[in-house]
Amino acid sequence: MKFWFALIIKNHISRVSIGILWAWLTMISGVALLMLSGWFITATAIAGAAIAAAIVITFDMYVPGSGIRFFALSRTISRYTERIYNHDTILRLIALFRVTLFSQIANMPLSELRQNTDSEWLGKLTADIDALDSILIRYIIPPVAALALILTVSILLSTIWFEFALYSALFMLFTLTITIQCTIRSTSSSGKRVNSLLNQLRVQVIEHLNGVLELHSFNVMHRHQHSINNSIELLMLAQTKLNTKTMQLQSWLDWLLQLNLLIVVIWVLSAFAAAVISGPQAIMLVMMYLGINEILQSVVSQFSTWGKTQFAAHRLDTLKYSPRVDEENSTTLDTITKIDVQLKGEQLIKSHEKDIFFTLNSGEILNVIGQSGTGKSSLADLLSGVTPLNNSSHYIVNGTLSTSPQIPENWYQKVSYLEQSNTILAGSLGYNLCLGLPEIAEEKVWSVLTQLELTQWVNGLPEGLNTWLGESGCQLSGGQARRVCLARLLLREPDLVVLDEPFNGIDAMMAARIWHQICPWLSSRIVVVFTHEKPDYIDASTTEIFELKNT
Amino acid sequence: MSLSPRTTRSVGSDFLRYHANAERKALMLSVLFGVLASIAMLCQWLSFAMLAEKVIVDNLLIQEQFTLLSILAISLLTRPLLQKMQTQFAQQASTHIRTNIRQILLNQWRVTNPITLKAMSLGALASQFVEDIESLDGYFSRYWPQQALAVITPVLILSVVFYLNWVCALLLLISAPLIPLFMILVGMGAETLNQKYALQRQRLAGHFLNRVSALNIILRLGAQQEIMQEVIDSSDRYRQIIMRTLRIAFLSSTVLEFFTSVAIAALAIYIGFSLYGAITWGPANSLSLFSGLAILILAPEFFQPLRTLSQFYHDRAAALGAAHHLHDALNPSDDLSHSFDYLTTQTSDTTSSSQPVTITLHNLAIGYSSATTCLTNINLSAHTGQLLVISGESGTGKTALINTLAGFILPVSGSLNITPNELTRHALLPQSPWIKNASIRDNLLALAPHATNLQMLNVLSKLGLLNELNINHYGLDTIIGEHSTGLSGGQLQRIAFARILLNPSPVVLLDEPTAKLDVQSRAYVIKAINQLKNVALVVVVTHDETLLQQADISLNTDDHRVQAR
């Protein structure tokens, strides 16, 4: 959590300070309103009694009256401003957290990234980011503002009655610090436990439902539920424990504050009797504690989420990867004209021979064919550098054996890979096509769309290239999505093109036409096409065929 | 079936009410202690105000006010206890309700057709089970009791204030209904703004997750920097839109704050002027420091329950949404699944009966629904001791037939008879078997709960797994599943098959048991299948030549040809 604390302070110190100032202003207006009101009615009561007894006194009703109205207004305004201002800060912080995380996740090796980015993982990620809100709105602003309030009130008070001011300052500081400390200490472990149990429950439920076919047919579904039932029970216990601890702390705190109030009532009334302070002042001091107690009371509930936040921060910490490219060892590639592929003992790729060797040359097309399950996509992942090679496999690029296991820095400028699945980002069509190519000319986009026979479709869209695709936008058919993904590649100038089932979801006639139209673009590059069987559009006489087979 | 917002809300609130009723006693106790705490609060401030008058106005000695001091002390010190009880009972009710709903949902899954369950998103089901149910907490532990207290406590305070001074009571009484009125007006304003930006907000809210999920392609297209800037920009635009709505939405709590502050100020000034003698009409003359101070202190307490309720209001909104989902999950519409009556009535029977069984298919037509019939006119009969092999091209309904035999889908037409008909259990090995993230032992025990260590080791050695597991791994304690890398697909397939051998039923259904296996392990499995014939009727979906040759009856789904040997 330290990391996030530091991040907030480092980036938004002034906003945080101003937020604290507004919170302090809200608190002090509330306390002052109560103090002044108490002082005012006691003073008027005494004055009224004096007048009734025909003693002539002068008492200004109007200054305190307008003071009361002022504090009533300033409390409302500062409260509203504080909430608006601090929510703005929170939203800024979320942006900061997102960017920080995004750059951390972007450092992950691609192979690991692919395993992680399922919707469940993403759901957890948002929940964890949201949990970090607490750092600002619970752990920074309220306690610091309360501290400032304690100091202000004590200093002002010391001009009236020094002993009482000293006692108040010590009591309030003690209560604030001890409550924060005790709450963190006694609830954070239970809080973490509750959250890890919730997590465990989630994993167990998914596993249980995964096995539902077998569990049902073997008629052991009920028995297999036991472990989930156990976790539910454990969760209930842990939640009860957390609740009990929080409740106990809360009632200790309430009790302490009430006891203090009792002491204060007796003390100030005795002090009035001893003529140390006046009657209005005595009531004013009690009213001050009325306001301050309300602020101190909320400390327990503010800090009882510490464990949850810690749990979230801890999980986000596991995403920290050291930068993918080591600056000193990074290599860059010139134009790739030739790759010798030497794969030894790659488990997932099925072939007649144990080791696979082939050479790819610029201007040549290799068609890799194989039934499903023979490792086509695994080989495509290896060739495009998405999954790393094992230690005994190598690529020899342009005749030089690469010594570093790292992927060269500009590898993805040289290599384009059309994956089996289509990824359409939520955004406009134009955005999807030109991703990573901010300066591309629009004519080029249209010429590629023409090659892929998409022009008519795009012209028919409500907003042409600006039509929103993906979530909450226009839905694409499988064939359209495929061609949009293919278009992304065609807008680039890679040296190696890896196409995994390029015409999935596209009928054979159109596939042949498109292939013919993109042939000129392919002709100057190394091309590897993965298909189930040799497609008709590929000319067998000029294309090398490599077959993967289950042994 | 589309639900209008109105029915959505009522379904959700009916669900919440139903479960609140189940824990009515604890929730009522919570309210009771809340009321007692309010009474303690009244005693506390009344005795303090009285004490203040006696000491400050009447100049009596504080040491002589023993009764007032003890009332003050007792009420001051019992109030936290009463508040604690209030929270405790409400939280207890909430914990019980959540545990209860989880158990109901778990049992609901048990009687739901597994094919239906498999077709749903497991992540969504799991988050329903975890997050949705968790989000009910605030409703039961905070909102529900506060709903009652937000009425009872202000009424209590109001009657005390009324007794002390009716003008002040009237002032409070007038301001109280104004608060909800203003809050509704503000709420409507916020809602209009909300709708205005709904689409933009939805797009921006999903932006970050969408880009993280596409990071793989983003990195490969070299657009990392571009997207980073986009994340910053869209977060910023999102912030601006949200802030526009919040500026209005926060007014609603400001209304409450405003009334609280204004009420205190107005009362203080009225009381002050009355005490001074500047106001003489109405009950102003009867005011004393006691009644004035008491009213002043009780004024914020009058608004406090309402403020608390409005803080808990989002708990209610969250719970209503979740309750609606849960209601649907617990009351599935009938067309989705046929329920599993036979499974609910009988206890889990894991011992295999030795009675021979016969399966007879007569003019059977199958499919996942009558519109998508994939196989028709199947006629065959098979009994214990036989091997029935189903083969054919992919997509011709082999797996659908297995699912029909397992009872997961009902025949479209024709009949499927299994005698004896009390048979409730099949040993099924699906095409991609279920592997738990656990030890091999736990994986075996999950489906064969009565297997002993010795039996497990025997079966593993029969399938040629034991040596490999003992030498290179940790035997039965080897952890397998998603995160293990040590075992191959073929080995996992055999571990799944071992469960069938450990707990066979009179009907054994195997979907492609040898597809992922090499020659040697295939031989082990085929040998074991032949041994299974002694105790069961074995149905296998396969392309395996060896198994096809050994079939007693074979069914080809391409041409519906049945051959008996």
Side-chain angles (χ1 to χ4, degrees):
Chain A
M1 217 176 347
K2 263 187 204 151
F3 173 77
W4 302 103
F5 260 111
L7 199 67
I8 295 172
I9 300 300
K10 203 176 122 200
N11 288 278
H12 287 295
I13 181 71
S14 59
R15 283 199 72 88
V16 172
S17 322
I18 294 171
I20 290 170
L21 192 70
W22 280 111
W24 170 82
L25 210 61
T26 312
M27 289 176 179
I28 202 132
S29 301
V31 173
L33 177 65
L34 284 169
M35 286 172 80
L36 190 57
S37 305
W39 180 88
F40 178 64
I41 64 166
T42 318
T44 52
I46 292 170
I51 291 165
I55 302 166
V56 181
I57 56 154
T58 49
F59 180 72
D60 181 6
M61 299 284 291
Y62 297 96
V63 173
S66 45
I68 288 170
R69 283 195 297 272
F70 170 78
F71 286 128
L73 215 58
S74 74
R75 179 174 118 145
T76 313
I77 293 169
S78 55
R79 173 86 183 124
Y80 177 70
T81 319
E82 181 223 330
R83 290 193 71 189
I84 293 287
Y85 192 85
N86 287 333
H87 265 81
D88 199 329
T89 312
I90 286 172
L91 291 168
R92 281 168 205 265
L93 282 179
I94 289 179
L96 174 69
F97 293 159
R98 285 179 169 180
V99 174
T100 312
L101 271 172
F102 192 87
S103 60
Q104 283 175 0
I105 301 171
N107 283 329
M108 248 193 227
L110 274 180
S111 51
E112 219 162 303
L113 188 65
R114 290 220 293 189
Q115 286 171 10
N116 272 333
T117 41
D118 54 287
S119 61
E120 204 203 315
W121 184 82
L122 291 171
K124 274 194 301 200
L125 189 68
T126 18
D128 287 342
I129 297 179
D130 288 348
L132 294 181
D133 287 5
S134 296
I135 295 179
L136 181 76
I137 51 170
R138 287 167 182 266
Y139 314 145
I140 296 180
I141 292 179
V144 178
L147 190 70
L149 174 80
I150 292 170
L151 296 177
T152 327
V153 167
S154 305
I155 290 166
L156 291 177
L157 216 57
S158 64
T159 59
I160 301 173
W161 184 10
F162 184 75
E163 286 96 338
F164 189 79
L166 189 67
Y167 165 79
S168 290
L170 290 178
F171 171 77
M172 292 186 286
L173 285 177
F174 169 78
T175 311
L176 183 68
T177 48
I178 205 86
T179 310
I180 291 176
Q181 251 183 23
C182 287
T183 310
I184 292 176
R185 196 174 299 163
S186 80
T187 62
S188 70
S189 66
S190 317
K192 263 191 272 184
R193 168 126 178 98
V194 166
N195 280 285
S196 76
L197 276 171
L198 282 170
N199 215 24
Q200 181 186 325
L201 202 56
R202 184 186 182 83
V203 172
Q204 279 179 321
V205 164
I206 289 181
E207 196 157 80
H208 180 69
L209 292 174
N210 247 325
V212 73
L213 281 180
E214 279 98 327
L215 291 167
H216 240 303
S217 65
F218 276 81
N219 202 6
V220 289
M221 190 107 170
H222 192 249
R223 183 183 284 269
H224 196 254
Q225 266 174 227
H226 283 333
S227 63
I228 300 182
N229 276 324
N230 272 342
S231 298
I232 295 177
E233 296 287 320
L234 286 177
L235 177 67
M236 187 166 96
L237 289 177
Q239 280 174 332
T240 310
K241 193 173 168 192
L242 176 64
N243 287 340
T244 312
K245 277 184 174 172
T246 316
M247 228 153 41
Q248 266 167 358
L249 279 165
Q250 184 69 55
S251 66
W252 274 112
L253 174 65
D254 289 349
W255 202 74
L256 186 67
L257 294 173
Q258 295 280 68
L259 186 69
N260 171 63
L261 197 61
L262 183 64
I263 293 169
V264 167
V265 168
I266 295 173
W267 192 9
V268 296
L269 290 181
S270 312
F272 165 75
V276 178
I277 49 170
S278 70
Q281 283 173 338
I283 297 302
M284 185 180 81
L285 294 179
V286 177
M287 296 300 274
M288 174 192 89
Y289 269 104
L290 215 64
I292 284 175
N293 281 2
E294 200 191 324
I295 293 161
L296 289 178
Q297 258 169 354
S298 53
V299 172
V300 171
S301 58
Q302 272 153 5
F303 279 82
S304 63
T305 55
W306 190 271
K308 185 184 170 187
T309 317
Q310 235 178 2
F311 186 78
H314 181 73
R315 281 215 302 211
L316 292 175
D317 280 349
T318 58
L319 296 177
K320 277 185 205 151
Y321 278 80
S322 49
R324 188 162 39 104
V325 178
D326 192 344
E327 292 296 332
E328 284 170 29
N329 289 334
S330 72
T331 49
T332 51
L333 275 175
D334 297 330
T335 309
I336 305 173
T337 50
K338 182 183 168 204
I339 303 178
D340 295 292
V341 178
Q342 308 184 343
L343 301 178
K344 293 175 188 163
E346 293 286 352
Q347 293 284 335
L348 293 166
I349 296 157
K350 308 291 190 308
S351 165
H352 284 298
E353 272 106 69
K354 213 175 126 219
D355 302 332
I356 300 172
F357 297 97
F358 52 83
T359 303
L360 303 165
N361 280 310
S362 203
E364 287 178 6
I365 297 174
L366 174 69
N367 181 202
V368 180
I369 59 174
Q371 290 300 312
S372 60
T374 49
K376 285 197 303 292
S377 294
S378 308
L379 181 55
D381 284 350
L382 282 177
L383 279 179
S384 55
V386 170
T387 45
L389 294 173
N390 68 20
N391 287 335
S392 30
S393 301
H394 296 285
Y395 296 138
I396 301 168
V397 178
N398 295 344
T400 10
L401 180 70
S402 157
T403 47
S404 155
Q406 269 177 0
I407 287 177
E409 207 178 344
N410 61 345
W411 176 257
Y412 291 114
Q413 286 167 25
K414 305 283 175 192
V415 179
S416 280
Y417 175 27
L418 181 68
E419 272 183 296
Q420 211 169 18
S421 58
N422 301 321
T423 310
I424 300 290
L425 278 70
S428 72
L429 171 62
Y431 170 86
N432 263 287
L433 292 172
C434 306
L435 197 65
L437 301 167
E439 281 157 18
I440 192 126
E442 199 173 318
E443 301 89 71
K444 187 160 182 201
V445 175
W446 283 105
S447 87
V448 164
L449 288 175
T450 314
Q451 285 174 23
L452 294 170
E453 304 189 359
L454 283 169
T455 323
Q456 207 184 348
W457 170 68
V458 175
N459 282 327
L461 287 173
E463 291 171 76
L465 282 175
N466 292 324
T467 308
W468 191 276
L469 306 181
E471 280 170 54
S472 74
C474 169
Q475 295 302 314
L476 301 179
S477 77
Q480 285 160 348
R482 196 69 188 148
R483 282 180 284 160
V484 169
C485 292
L486 194 52
R488 258 186 213 146
L489 262 56
L490 295 172
L491 290 168
R492 297 161 179 272
E493 300 292 337
D495 298 332
L496 169 63
V497 183
V498 180
L499 305 172
D500 193 0
E501 301 280 1
F503 300 118
N504 248 354
I506 299 172
D507 66 77
M509 299 280 285
M510 186 190 273
R513 288 199 303 272
I514 293 177
W515 178 262
H516 180 72
Q517 282 161 89
I518 66 173
C519 260
W521 182 79
L522 295 173
S523 65
S524 56
R525 307 164 206 279
I526 305 173
V527 181
V528 189
V529 185
F530 292 80
T531 49
H532 269 290
E533 53 238 357
K534 191 200 85 62
D536 292 334
Y537 55 77
I538 284 184
D539 181 2
S541 59
T542 59
T543 310
E544 213 176 319
I545 305 217
F546 184 84
E547 189 174 4
L548 296 176
K549 227 180 202 170
N550 273 320
T551 44
Chain B
M1 190 174 60
S2 68
L3 289 165
S4 70
R6 193 184 185 84
T7 44
T8 305
R9 197 168 298 153
S10 78
V11 165
S13 56
D14 284 349
F15 180 89
L16 294 177
R17 199 171 308 130
Y18 173 81
H19 285 282
N21 270 335
E23 285 292 325
R24 198 166 187 84
K25 203 178 145 199
L27 288 171
M28 284 310 220
L29 276 171
S30 166
V31 173
L32 177 71
F33 279 104
V35 173
L36 289 177
S38 300
I39 292 172
M41 180 270 297
L42 281 169
C43 292
Q44 170 187 324
W45 293 128
L46 288 174
S47 58
F48 163 68
M50 186 73 88
L51 199 62
E53 168 155 301
K54 295 248 159 115
V55 176
I56 294 171
V57 179
D58 303 342
N59 285 317
L60 296 174
L61 278 177
I62 188 168
Q63 294 89 324
E64 286 164 9
Q65 306 304 317
F66 184 72
T67 329
L68 278 178
L69 272 177
S70 22
I71 295 175
L72 180 66
I74 290 167
S75 49
L76 269 173
L77 300 180
T78 49
R79 194 171 151 206
L81 283 179
L82 295 168
Q83 281 169 330
K84 184 185 165 192
M85 298 301 275
Q86 178 197 342
T87 326
Q88 191 174 340
F89 278 111
Q91 283 179 345
Q92 181 194 320
S94 163
T95 316
H96 282 167
I97 291 170
R98 280 176 288 147
T99 306
N100 196 21
I101 298 178
R102 286 211 170 98
Q103 263 149 5
I104 295 173
L105 190 56
L106 207 51
N107 287 328
Q108 176 65 36
W109 286 338
R110 193 152 56 90
V111 294
T112 307
N113 191 326
I115 303 275
T116 314
L117 273 184
K118 269 284 195 182
M120 295 196 223
S121 147
L122 297 189
L125 287 173
S127 63
Q128 192 166 58
F129 191 82
V130 180
E131 280 86 19
D132 276 1
I133 295 181
E134 213 47 30
S135 68
L136 300 178
D137 180 36
Y139 180 84
F140 294 112
S141 69
R142 293 188 287 266
Y143 185 81
W144 200 97
Q146 195 59 36
Q147 222 178 345
L149 289 173
V151 177
I152 300 171
T153 309
V155 168
L156 270 178
I157 293 173
L158 199 66
S159 41
V160 171
V161 173
F162 189 81
Y163 173 76
L164 295 174
N165 181 299
W166 61 263
V167 173
C168 295
L170 206 63
L171 201 97
L172 290 179
L173 196 62
I174 292 168
S175 62
L178 282 178
I179 294 172
L181 186 75
F182 277 107
M183 284 174 82
I184 289 167
L185 285 177
V186 167
M188 272 159 40
E191 187 50 38
T192 326
L193 263 182
N194 231 346
Q195 275 164 6
K196 190 173 156 196
Y197 297 113
L199 181 65
Q200 272 196 56
R201 220 182 28 165
Q202 196 191 347
R203 284 178 178 173
L204 291 170
H207 178 270
F208 175 66
L209 284 192
N210 184 275
R211 297 303 185 259
V212 173
S213 68
L215 235 166
N216 174 29
I217 195 132
I218 289 166
L219 294 182
R220 281 197 281 112
L221 295 175
Q224 190 189 336
Q225 290 306 320
E226 196 182 321
I227 299 284
M228 284 270 266
Q229 192 53 46
E230 228 184 82
V231 169
I232 297 174
D233 293 344
S234 78
S235 301
D236 206 47
R237 250 178 305 147
Y238 183 68
R239 177 179 62 82
Q240 286 165 0
I241 288 178
I242 290 285
M243 286 314 295
R244 264 178 229 166
T245 325
L246 282 187
R247 271 186 207 116
I248 303 294
F250 281 168
L251 279 179
S252 89
S253 66
T254 310
V255 169
L256 255 177
E257 294 289 335
F258 179 72
F259 274 97
T260 314
S261 308
V262 165
I264 296 173
L267 287 174
I269 290 169
Y270 169 78
I271 294 166
F273 277 68
S274 301
L275 288 175
Y276 189 64
I279 299 175
T280 48
W281 55 271
N285 288 330
S286 67
L287 270 176
S288 59
L289 181 61
F290 158 65
S291 51
L293 193 58
I295 293 169
L296 181 73
I297 297 176
L298 290 178
E301 301 282 1
F302 175 80
F303 294 102
Q304 189 55 48
L306 268 176
R307 287 167 70 189
T308 315
L309 188 69
S310 80
Q311 274 171 26
F312 297 162
Y313 202 76
H314 71 270
D315 286 332
R316 177 176 174 272
L320 272 180
H324 185 234
H325 292 154
L326 288 167
H327 175 86
D328 288 354
L330 292 174
N331 303 282
S333 48
D334 294 330
D335 53 323
L336 279 177
S337 60
H338 69 278
S339 68
F340 277 57
D341 299 335
Y342 70 90
L343 283 174
T344 51
T345 48
Q346 44 99 61
T347 56
S348 88
D349 156 32
T350 46
T351 55
S352 64
S353 68
S354 52
Q355 220 178 342
V357 289
T358 308
I359 291 186
T360 317
L361 312 182
H362 182 67
N363 285 336
L364 184 71
I366 59 162
Y368 288 97
S369 69
S370 50
T372 56
T373 309
C374 47
L375 271 180
T376 52
N377 211 12
I378 313 165
N379 289 291
L380 64 83
S381 170
H383 56 80
T384 302
Q386 287 189 313
L387 173 65
L388 166 60
V389 173
I390 305 165
S391 60
E393 284 293 303
S394 68
T396 51
K398 300 188 300 291
T399 302
L401 183 55
I402 286 278
N403 283 334
T404 311
L405 291 174
F408 295 156
I409 51 180
L410 291 174
V412 174
S413 66
S415 69
L416 158 68
N417 281 314
I418 302 180
T419 49
N421 56 12
E422 66 266 23
L423 186 74
T424 57
R425 206 166 64 80
H426 310 83
L428 169 73
L429 181 72
Q431 221 166 50
S432 37
W434 172 53
I435 298 290
K436 285 179 75 168
N437 294 315
S439 66
I440 291 179
R441 180 185 286 105
D442 287 345
N443 265 282
L444 298 177
L445 286 175
L447 295 182
H450 299 294
T452 62
N453 267 356
L454 192 64
Q455 284 170 327
M456 290 189 245
L457 293 172
N458 263 333
V459 165
L460 292 179
S461 96
K462 218 188 219 175
L463 295 173
L465 281 165
L466 196 60
N467 277 342
E468 161 70 9
L469 288 177
N470 277 342
I471 293 166
N472 291 332
H473 301 278
Y474 304 96
L476 287 175
D477 295 315
T478 311
I479 302 291
I480 54 175
E482 267 175 42
H483 306 298
S484 82
T485 44
L487 293 186
S488 73
Q491 286 169 322
L492 294 176
Q493 176 81 12
R494 279 179 285 160
I495 291 169
F497 182 66
R499 303 193 283 215
I500 308 265
L501 297 180
L502 286 166
N503 189 10
S505 76
V507 177
V508 171
L509 308 168
L510 309 171
D511 198 350
E512 305 269 17
T514 57
K516 296 174 197 160
L517 304 180
D518 56 53
V519 186
Q520 202 185 7
S521 25
R522 202 160 66 201
Y524 287 123
V525 169
I526 290 172
K527 195 175 161 201
I529 289 175
N530 276 312
Q531 287 174 354
L532 267 178
K533 272 167 55 178
N534 297 331
V535 293
L537 161 60
V538 184
V539 183
V540 183
V541 168
T542 190
H543 296 287
D544 194 302
E545 282 303 321
T546 324
L547 278 169
L548 274 167
Q549 280 162 19
Q550 292 176 354
D552 296 297
I553 306 166
S554 65
L555 168 68
N556 192 308
T557 52
D558 297 338
D559 50 10
H560 300 192
R561 202 178 52 216
V562 177
Q563 276 185 333
R565 192 166 65 181

